[in-house]
Amino acid sequence: MFLHQHPLDLPTLIASVASDDRGAIASFVGVVRDHHAGRTVLGLEYSAYGPMAEQRCAALVAQAETTWPVRVALAHRIGPLAVGDAAVAVVAAAAHRGPAFDACRWVIEAVKTEVPIWKRERYRDGSEAWVDPTAPAGVHPTGSAT
Amino acid sequence: MFLHQHPLDLPTLIASVASDDRGAIASFVGVVRDHHAGRTVLGLEYSAYGPMAEQRCAALVAQAETTWPVRVALAHRIGPLAVGDAAVAVVAAAAHRGPAFDACRWVIEAVKTEVPIWKRERYRDGSEAWVDPTAPAGVHPTGSAT
Amino acid sequence: MTTRTVLLFARYAELLGAASVEVEIAAGATIADLVAALRALPGGASLPANPVVAVAHAKADAATVIPEHAELALLPPLAGG
Amino acid sequence: MTTRTVLLFARYAELLGAASVEVEIAAGATIADLVAALRALPGGASLPANPVVAVAHAKADAATVIPEHAELALLPPLAGG
């Protein structure tokens, strides 16, 4: 439901939460960038603990929709991605822009800390590394080229 | 450039600011809602002081792009709109989500206070009114049915 | 005295029944003087006491002296976005 | 002692060379005990001292006693979004 093998489509996500009484639609799209931690990124692959990830995403959406008067759509790509591909998309629709922005921003932050998804980056020099936000360099030190 | 007679297209706006080194894309779309100030809205019409509106929009985008490391796209509909139509769209692309959200939110707030655009709403009871955010009821008291 | 054109929009255009009006103002007149002249026009009394005036596409204070060749416009409360 | 399956992901799966492993833990064992057992496996020494463990799809503290029938998983630092 939240994890997608196929490209994310923002208009579809927006349509899923838009309605005549919700005129403020805030959205966030995280796109694969061409560099990370000082290295040129060619592409990456997301892996997930599927059942827990789906369950956590559902819990985050439910929490946002009770914290703010919003409807939230969330989608995360898994599998191989190229630079420029959308990796995650969050849409929050509300009657007013304040709750829409606040909920949208809260959800993307929560996805990063709550949803069991991992990212292995491929670099131009042929090496690869697991992204590790807790590591100083942002990637796990011993990036192996397996 | 910023004012559009034709429907706004979010993907096009996003494409105009996305780039390989900007992985965080925050956007806001303001959609015509079916009610305002307690009355059912059938549609509305935006009018603008064209030259000043274009000039102010350009200035807002430039200010946002110097305040944060972002690229901003902004579009505002003018002319008649129906409920559900996108009236305004702001996209801010950055390397990181903080500046993207901050800039996006700043621009939409600034549009409302700086850009000479006006909104005449049509209600189900046949009456019409100029929206006036400074008026207690959010619309000018003496909505005439001209 | 010089004749100046003032552009009108939205509700103010309706009040004065036109998209622009001509008013006579003295040399060195301020925005406040301009507003007084506008309020003296037919329907002008319904204008608020301190409407926003744009001079060359920028909002101007009441005390601003009106430049000779700047475009003038009366702006109702904005309602964009 | 009971045999428990622990699901592995990303870097930890690489370290232990598998998508899941079996470990023996005593009845009433805690997450800390489970981690100790995992670190004793081939490649397990490279695991951090306090890796995040999910019990029935929720992160668990080191002191949590492991329920009998809950799915167990070892989670490397998350990197979604």
Side-chain angles (χ1 to χ4, degrees):
Chain A
M1 202 168 71
F2 296 99
L3 304 184
H4 298 255
Q5 298 278 4
H6 313 297
L8 306 184
D9 182 52
L10 187 59
T12 304
L13 284 169
I14 288 177
S16 72
V17 288
S19 73
D20 287 349
D21 63 345
R22 285 191 280 272
I25 301 175
S27 62
F28 177 81
V29 178
V31 171
V32 176
R33 279 189 300 137
D34 61 3
H35 66 280
H36 179 230
R39 301 205 292 196
T40 299
V41 173
L42 297 185
L44 55 79
E45 177 145 3
Y46 278 106
S47 55
Y49 177 10
M52 180 179 173
E54 290 284 351
Q55 192 265 359
R56 296 309 306 155
C57 285
L60 295 185
V61 168
Q63 190 173 344
E65 291 183 340
T66 42
T67 305
W68 293 277
V70 295
R71 284 287 313 287
V72 170
L74 165 62
H76 201 298
R77 272 292 290 284
I78 49 175
L81 275 72
V83 170
D85 286 350
V88 61
V90 180
V91 182
H96 303 292
R97 58 188 180 282
F101 273 117
D102 291 343
C104 184
R105 199 162 188 172
W106 181 86
V107 170
I108 187 61
E109 303 295 339
V111 164
K112 287 177 179 289
T113 56
E114 294 298 321
V115 181
I117 290 176
W118 299 278
K119 180 159 55 175
R120 186 172 178 80
E121 290 181 336
R122 287 181 292 104
Y123 305 103
R124 191 167 45 187
D125 60 14
S127 65
E128 300 192 0
W130 289 103
V131 169
D132 177 356
T134 63
V139 288
H140 185 74
T142 61
S144 65
T146 51
Chain B
M1 202 170 69
F2 296 100
L3 304 183
H4 299 255
Q5 299 278 2
H6 313 298
L8 307 184
D9 181 53
L10 187 59
T12 305
L13 285 169
I14 289 176
S16 71
V17 289
S19 73
D20 287 349
D21 63 346
R22 287 190 279 271
I25 301 174
S27 63
F28 177 81
V29 178
V31 173
V32 176
R33 277 189 299 138
D34 61 2
H35 67 280
H36 179 229
R39 302 206 291 195
T40 300
V41 173
L42 297 186
L44 54 82
E45 177 147 4
Y46 278 106
S47 55
Y49 176 13
M52 180 178 172
E54 290 284 351
Q55 192 264 1
R56 296 309 306 154
C57 285
L60 295 185
V61 168
Q63 190 174 343
E65 291 181 342
T66 43
T67 306
W68 294 277
V70 294
R71 284 287 314 286
V72 171
L74 165 62
H76 202 297
R77 272 294 288 283
I78 50 176
L81 274 72
V83 170
D85 285 351
V88 60
V90 180
V91 182
H96 302 292
R97 57 187 180 284
F101 273 117
D102 291 344
C104 184
R105 199 160 188 174
W106 181 85
V107 169
I108 187 62
E109 302 295 338
V111 164
K112 288 177 178 289
T113 56
E114 295 297 321
V115 181
I117 290 176
W118 299 278
K119 180 159 54 174
R120 186 172 177 79
E121 290 180 335
R122 287 181 292 104
Y123 304 103
R124 190 165 49 186
D125 60 13
S127 66
E128 300 193 2
W130 289 103
V131 169
D132 177 356
T134 65
V139 288
H140 185 72
T142 59
S144 66
T146 51
Chain C
M1 298 293 274
T2 58
T3 304
R4 301 299 297 267
T5 301
V6 181
L7 302 178
L8 301 172
F9 296 95
R11 195 169 66 81
Y12 294 169
E14 266 177 29
L15 287 178
L16 278 77
S20 71
V21 287
E22 309 263 315
V23 283
E24 294 293 320
I25 54 170
T30 64
I31 293 292
D33 301 325
L34 181 74
V35 168
L38 289 164
R39 287 166 60 84
L41 294 173
S46 309
L47 289 171
N50 298 301
V52 173
V53 179
V55 177
H57 300 169
K59 296 180 194 175
D61 301 330
T64 304
V65 172
I66 301 170
E68 269 176 52
H69 302 299
E71 187 172 85
L72 304 177
L74 208 57
L75 308 182
L78 306 189
Chain D
M1 297 294 275
T2 57
T3 305
R4 299 301 295 268
T5 302
V6 181
L7 303 179
L8 301 172
F9 296 93
R11 197 169 66 82
Y12 293 170
E14 268 178 28
L15 286 177
L16 279 76
S20 71
V21 288
E22 310 261 314
V23 284
E24 295 293 318
I25 54 171
T30 65
I31 294 291
D33 302 324
L34 181 73
V35 168
L38 289 164
R39 288 167 61 87
L41 294 173
S46 309
L47 288 170
N50 299 302
V52 173
V53 179
V55 176
H57 300 172
K59 295 179 192 176
D61 303 331
T64 304
V65 172
I66 300 170
E68 268 178 54
H69 303 300
E71 186 172 87
L72 304 176
L74 208 56
L75 308 183
L78 307 189

